[in-house]
Amino acid sequence: MSETPNDVRAAGATFKPRVFSGIKPSGGLTLGNYLGAIKRFVSMQDEAFETIYCMVDLHAITVWQDPAALRHNTRELAAGFIASGISPEKSILINQSQVPEHAQLGWILSCIARMGWMQRMTQFKDKAGKNAQNASLGLFGYPALMAADILVYHATHVPVGEDQKQHLELTRDIAAKFNHDYGVDFFPMTEPVIEGAATRVMSLRDGSKKMSKSDPSDASRINMTDDADTIAKKIRKAKTDPDALPSEAKGLESRPEARNLVNIYAALADMSVDQVLAAHGGAQFGTFKPALADLAVDKLAPISGEMARLMDDPAEIDRILAHGATQAREITTPILKKTYEIVGMVGN
Ligand code: TYM
């Protein structure tokens, strides 16, 4: 690879800056996905990066998915990406199962990752719950496939919410062990990009729990497909405490629900928490919640409208994904081939 001023040094080798990130089509998109991940995906495509964004359907099926719902959710997620501002002209937009090199490299990396590493993953413990023996093998090995998603592009930057940090540290461990075991500088040390006021959006019903598409309570989250009335109602009913908003961020320290609503406001308005509190400090929630609801409707309604319009033409979404898969495979095919060569596979 030739060097450019933008190249980054990793593991002694030179890798071009390249962004990869993914979202599971295991339900609808939430405000957490939008603020924690997608908003950053959009801004990175306009920076000096090559950007690849992925619907990770193979990851989704680590827990049971109804096939018709999975198909619907995958297309709706693609619509959500595009409606939020990800341009298929600027970014490569793909569905994971359409680029088989992800699963192929996933197997190799499963042979690099250690059981003990996987056992430490908090997301596995949360998802498997008390009955870990009954969890799928895929759920246990999930982070090895995630490492493959990233490394099969030699991606150097991965924008994600806070909850993915541990998986990205593991990706570095897997890359380093591969490089070490085979005596190569082949996989880069990927940098997590966890930035902004809302890297961990919390449930609207419980400030100690992450906002999640798998929470049984629909009132706990804002879905990107919610209409204006539903968004306003959910914000009005969000759990809060009885005090007015403080005028400085320090005053939010032991107030998780208040902090969550202020963080959401800041991220939606592209303001800092201090700027939000300078404007709204002293306000009661009776005043702040309607202001937040207006802002959320203002920012999210155009996205949900555009998603619905795109979903009227699923064949066009499928065309965009097929084109993305072709572009992606131009990158992944030679990287997988080289991986096979390094490992000693004959005839590849
Ligand atoms: P997933 O589908 O759970 O979430 C997708 C992205 O949304 C972020 N996110 C949040 N951010 C802030 N607050 C929240 N409440 C919130 N909920 C979700 C997540 O941090 C994530 O960035 N394992 C990944 C998918 C994946 C992936 C990858 C990501 C597979 N391969 C390779 C990056 C690179 C996941 O389950 O995301």
Side-chain angles (χ1 to χ4, degrees):
M1 262 186 235
S2 68
E3 238 177 285
T4 74
N6 279 335
D7 284 359
V8 288
R9 289 252 152 213
T14 302
F15 295 93
K16 287 187 185 302
R18 185 179 278 156
V19 173
F20 178 92
S21 198
I23 298 187
K24 286 193 300 288
S26 49
L29 268 178
T30 69
L31 182 66
N33 297 137
Y34 178 66
L35 295 180
I38 296 181
K39 263 193 96 185
R40 196 74 186 94
F41 297 178
V42 176
S43 62
M44 286 185 108
Q45 77 182 346
D46 294 321
E47 295 165 16
F49 289 107
E50 187 177 2
T51 44
I52 302 139
Y53 298 124
C54 185
M55 273 59 67
V56 289
D57 57 352
L58 297 173
H59 277 110
I61 61 162
T62 54
V63 298
W64 166 254
Q65 303 294 321
D66 172 74
L70 180 61
R71 267 189 289 276
H72 172 85
N73 289 335
T74 303
R75 293 191 178 111
E76 192 177 77
L77 180 52
F81 276 158
I82 299 166
S84 302
I86 291 168
S87 152
E89 265 99 62
K90 293 185 191 164
S91 294
I92 300 177
L93 200 57
I94 51 164
N95 184 32
Q96 189 184 29
S97 61
Q98 287 177 266
V99 183
E101 291 77 18
H102 289 235
Q104 290 173 291
L105 183 62
W107 176 255
I108 307 256
L109 298 186
S110 294
C111 300
I112 299 292
R114 305 288 95 181
M115 296 278 283
W117 299 358
M118 298 295 178
Q119 263 153 357
R120 284 197 288 276
M121 293 295 111
T122 54
Q123 195 144 320
F124 174 73
K125 291 186 210 163
D126 290 350
K127 288 239 154 119
K130 291 200 180 74
N131 197 359
Q133 291 300 313
N134 202 33
S136 71
L137 190 55
L139 189 67
F140 189 66
Y142 182 116
L145 179 59
M146 182 161 161
D149 294 338
I150 297 165
L151 297 175
V152 81
Y153 295 91
H154 279 180
T156 56
H157 297 78
V158 182
V160 283
E162 180 70 39
D163 62 343
Q164 295 302 313
K165 194 166 176 224
Q166 195 186 30
H167 285 160
L168 295 184
E169 282 161 5
L170 188 79
T171 298
R172 293 167 67 101
D173 290 342
I174 292 174
K177 183 164 164 51
F178 181 97
N179 288 347
H180 174 266
D181 288 358
Y182 290 102
V184 289
D185 277 340
F186 186 59
F187 287 123
M189 292 298 117
T190 304
E191 290 296 330
V193 181
I194 303 174
E195 286 172 357
T199 55
R200 190 169 174 82
V201 179
M202 307 310 281
S203 156
L204 297 178
R205 309 301 308 160
D206 177 351
S208 68
K209 264 173 54 187
K210 188 183 77 164
M211 181 182 285
S212 161
K213 52 197 153 206
S214 57
D215 192 312
S217 160
D218 191 59
S220 71
R221 64 179 160 265
I222 292 175
N223 304 301
M224 296 302 285
T225 47
D226 283 345
D227 61 26
D229 283 352
T230 310
I231 294 173
K233 199 159 124 210
K234 285 179 177 174
I235 291 176
R236 214 170 43 244
K237 290 201 164 164
K239 188 177 164 206
T240 44
D241 56 44
D243 297 336
L245 283 181
S247 45
E248 284 174 20
K250 208 154 61 76
L252 292 170
E253 264 165 25
S254 51
R255 299 175 63 188
E257 283 88 10
R259 188 174 59 211
N260 189 37
L261 295 188
V262 171
N263 285 349
I264 292 174
Y265 192 106
L268 281 170
D270 290 315
M271 290 164 79
S272 68
V273 165
D274 286 330
Q275 285 170 326
V276 175
L277 293 177
H280 295 274
Q284 296 290 338
F285 281 104
T287 317
F288 183 66
K289 282 179 171 179
L292 176 58
D294 284 350
L295 174 66
V297 167
D298 206 43
K299 298 284 180 182
L300 304 180
I303 299 177
S304 70
E306 181 61 7
M307 279 172 78
R309 195 189 68 73
L310 291 163
M311 284 300 279
D312 278 344
D313 189 0
E316 174 59 13
I317 293 177
D318 291 359
R319 271 193 294 279
I320 291 170
L321 295 181
H323 176 61
T326 306
Q327 291 176 296
R329 296 195 74 190
E330 283 170 20
I331 304 172
T332 58
T333 306
I335 291 179
L336 184 74
K337 188 173 162 38
K338 184 74 192 160
T339 310
Y340 277 175
E341 253 172 60
I342 291 170
V343 171
M345 309 255 154
V346 171
N348 286 285

